[in-house]
Amino acid sequence: MGQALVQTIRHFFPDLNTWLDCLPDARDQESIIYERRFLAWWGIALYLFQLSSRRQLDFELDAAGTCVLTNLNRLADTDHDTRPVHDTLDYFLGHSRPEALAALRMQMVQRLIRMKALESARLLGHLVVVVDGTGLLCWRRRHCDQCLTQKHGDTTVYLHQVLEAKLLGPAGVVLSIGSEFIANADTKATHGQNAEAVKQDCELKAFSRLAPRLKKAFPQLQVVLAGDSLFACGRVLQLTADYDWSYVLTFKQGHMPAVWAEFQRLLPLCPKNVLERTLPCGIQEEYRWVHDLSYEDDCRRRWHFTAIECLVTPLVGEPTRFAWITKLPVSGKTVVDIATKGGRNRWKIENEGFNRQKNSGLNLEHVYSTDPEKWQAYYHLLQIAFILVQLLERGSLLRRLAEACGKTPMQLFGSLKNIARRLLDSLRYSVWPDKSYDARAAAALHIGLDTS
Ligand SMILES: [Zn+2]
């Protein structure tokens, strides 16, 4: 288990220790006891082994009577003879800027793209980037002047939210490539709007800050932006045009009523734009589309796109209707791919991204620090560790390990939670073999990402 983890890390990120050494560190040189990359690994371990809280580092990763120090020293290429306490990590993160950790995460995803590990997830040559917002921290009392406020009856709650951009990889892998923290300044000039309108306004403003950073980090990447209907608006369409991105955005009647009415009027007039299919499980799908719909936004800019409708009829129960607008070339050959990879896969940011991170030992909503700079650093560290977690879970090394026992990983381990626990057991009680650290051997391995 430990061997599979180390080989996965060495295979995908052979230079990770060098990158970790480049993290800023404002500590007084005299007082440095632990090397940067070792402290960074200590922090990544908090999420890699899904320990749920900072305090648990002191208990679960205790060096006495365990192999923790040996294994983490080898992983970081260091030689420390004591372990840090959780406050050491907190102090370190207080001095390494959150942007540096965000940049490190970007570097990791760039490496995965360059080594073509994500190719099979491409949609008509593009990689799909899903954007969505979520709540992170919530208090009964104001904790800083950046808190967003929400009224629920007589009570006011103080919130922090984030807008995430996640790249959809193969095998359900969801990689965070951009996080924009939604701050109090976003809610100004929204007085009198209802809560939903304020939320939308915040997310769109945050997107205006996030989009240029994504373009700068991935200037050549062919991007399909996927998002819910709130992103189907002039502001987002203008940004996608500026950056030469394509898009697949949820199309809702209430959000663009005039365009929706035109779409419904034209659908029966385009009888050739239909594709029907029955899945092996018996579910029926009907796709219909209309090209060159026109939309004028609130700044009087005119946009043209194709709208797709997908009707899914299960064997039992009511059919479900989905619709999207897109700039991708829709035809009988491409419509299923566009609707599946660009449209319906959007839920993955909710499931694999937010829910998994909130309802597991990753504990996304836990207050790892009340200092805004620090918790942003913890947030990025979580995203970095989650990239490694997913590459292990969905990579072929774990699958081969299970195959050796005549099982699939899920048959062998039972749940993702158990995988994390077994990994922690392995860190504590087995010295990971020397050969697993060999970067050249790890580079020669073939590690495919697969759902099976
Ligand atoms: Zn706050």
Side-chain angles (χ1 to χ4, degrees):
M1 194 80 181
Q3 179 166 348
L5 174 71
V6 178
Q7 285 178 330
T8 301
I9 293 168
R10 291 285 202 254
H11 173 81
F12 287 108
F13 309 109
D15 301 321
L16 188 51
N17 281 331
T18 316
W19 296 349
L20 294 175
D21 262 344
C22 293
L23 288 172
D25 187 345
R27 291 174 301 161
D28 170 10
Q29 293 298 311
E30 293 297 307
S31 69
I32 291 180
I33 302 169
Y34 295 103
E35 283 157 275
R36 256 175 252 203
R37 58 183 186 276
F38 186 77
L39 279 179
W41 271 115
W42 199 260
I44 292 170
L46 170 59
Y47 303 106
L48 198 53
F49 303 103
Q50 305 187 28
L51 304 182
S52 289
S53 76
R54 188 145 63 82
R55 216 173 141 260
Q56 287 298 91
L57 278 169
D58 292 354
F59 302 105
E60 299 283 18
L61 301 196
D62 192 6
T66 72
C67 312
V68 168
L69 202 51
T70 312
N71 289 331
L72 286 186
N73 264 324
R74 285 302 308 271
L75 195 57
D77 292 323
T78 52
D79 191 21
H80 293 292
D81 48 17
T82 58
R83 67 161 174 94
V85 291
H86 71 78
D87 281 339
T88 324
L89 172 68
D90 201 53
Y91 186 75
F92 171 68
L93 288 180
H95 288 92
S96 51
R97 297 192 328 275
E99 314 85 73
L101 287 160
L104 170 67
R105 171 195 57 183
M106 208 81 99
Q107 211 170 0
M108 292 170 73
V109 177
Q110 282 162 341
R111 154 88 185 156
L112 293 174
I113 294 171
R114 243 186 355 257
M115 71 188 290
K116 302 197 181 296
L118 311 177
E119 289 308 286
S120 63
R122 283 191 186 263
L123 163 58
L124 305 180
H126 302 65
L127 283 171
V128 179
V129 173
V130 187
V131 280
D132 201 2
T134 194
L136 276 184
L137 306 175
C138 183
W139 285 275
R140 294 262 164 185
R141 282 181 306 168
R142 175 176 290 283
H143 109 283
C144 74
D145 57 5
Q146 297 290 300
C147 283
L148 304 171
T149 52
Q150 247 178 35
K151 282 224 175 253
H152 296 280
D154 288 341
T155 30
T156 303
V157 290
Y158 298 88
L159 302 164
H160 280 256
Q161 294 177 333
V162 64
L163 181 74
E164 269 284 309
K166 295 194 194 275
L167 201 150
L168 299 186
V173 168
V174 174
L175 306 161
S176 170
I177 59 167
S179 314
E180 185 61 40
F181 296 95
I182 301 175
N184 192 21
D186 290 330
T187 58
K188 285 189 183 142
T190 55
H191 201 70
Q193 286 178 302
N194 63 30
E196 187 57 21
V198 172
K199 173 179 170 281
Q200 298 191 354
D201 201 27
C202 292
E203 288 190 21
L204 288 175
K205 281 182 186 164
F207 183 72
S208 289
R209 298 193 296 270
L210 181 63
R213 287 213 316 272
L214 286 179
K215 183 63 185 176
K216 197 172 165 212
F218 302 94
Q220 305 299 330
L221 189 66
Q222 286 190 286
V223 169
V224 169
L225 187 79
D228 65 23
S229 62
L230 122 81
F231 294 95
C233 66
R235 181 199 290 246
V236 173
L237 296 182
Q238 184 62 56
L239 284 164
T240 60
D242 292 346
Y243 296 150
D244 200 20
W245 294 341
S246 197
Y247 56 82
V248 179
L249 300 167
T250 302
F251 186 19
K252 269 195 187 154
Q253 179 172 14
H255 201 71
M256 289 182 171
V259 190
W260 182 269
E262 183 67 356
F263 178 43
Q264 295 304 317
R265 189 183 70 80
L266 291 173
L267 271 174
L269 305 178
C270 308
K272 285 188 179 157
N273 296 353
V274 178
L275 182 101
E276 290 176 50
R277 65 171 194 167
T278 306
L279 303 182
C281 56
I283 292 176
Q284 286 187 354
E285 293 179 343
E286 184 191 274
Y287 298 87
R288 299 193 296 157
W289 59 96
V290 173
H291 293 297
D292 206 29
L293 282 168
S294 166
Y295 161 62
E296 189 181 89
D297 69 23
D298 49 8
C299 298
R300 306 223 130 198
R301 292 170 293 203
R302 190 154 286 283
W303 305 98
H304 298 269
F305 41 70
T306 302
I308 303 172
E309 184 179 78
C310 169
L311 189 70
V312 179
T313 311
L315 285 173
V316 189
E318 290 297 303
T320 313
R321 199 177 294 273
F322 302 92
W324 304 277
I325 58 168
T326 183
K327 269 309 258 188
L328 290 169
V330 182
S331 71
K333 286 198 178 106
T334 62
V335 70
V336 173
D337 241 16
I338 294 171
T340 310
K341 287 184 174 175
R344 295 177 68 189
N345 272 0
R346 193 180 60 76
W347 62 267
K348 282 192 175 151
I349 191 171
E350 198 63 43
N351 279 11
E352 318 269 332
F354 299 142
N355 292 347
R356 172 92 196 275
Q357 292 186 355
K358 288 178 182 182
N359 304 313
S360 70
L362 295 163
N363 215 358
L364 183 74
E365 291 168 301
H366 176 72
V367 184
Y368 286 97
S369 169
T370 51
D371 175 312
E373 282 256 311
K374 275 191 205 168
W375 67 251
Q376 288 187 12
Y378 281 103
Y379 182 88
H380 293 307
L381 210 52
L382 185 157
Q383 302 304 332
I384 288 168
F386 193 51
I387 293 175
L388 303 177
V389 166
Q390 293 179 90
L391 291 175
L392 174 71
E393 286 171 0
R394 312 293 169 120
S396 46
L397 292 187
L398 205 62
R399 207 159 57 244
R400 263 174 252 154
L401 199 76
E403 270 165 17
C405 310
K407 294 177 175 174
T408 66
M410 273 305 140
Q411 285 168 339
L412 184 63
F413 300 108
S415 67
L416 294 173
K417 192 178 162 195
N418 287 351
I419 292 181
R421 221 192 50 221
R422 288 281 291 274
L423 209 55
L424 178 62
D425 287 348
S426 169
L427 173 77
R428 286 170 59 87
Y429 303 119
S430 12
V431 174
W432 295 342
D434 277 346
K435 61 176 185 198
S436 40
Y437 298 93
D438 183 347
R440 200 174 294 172
L445 291 170
H446 172 79
I447 305 183
L449 298 171
D450 196 357
T451 36
S452 57

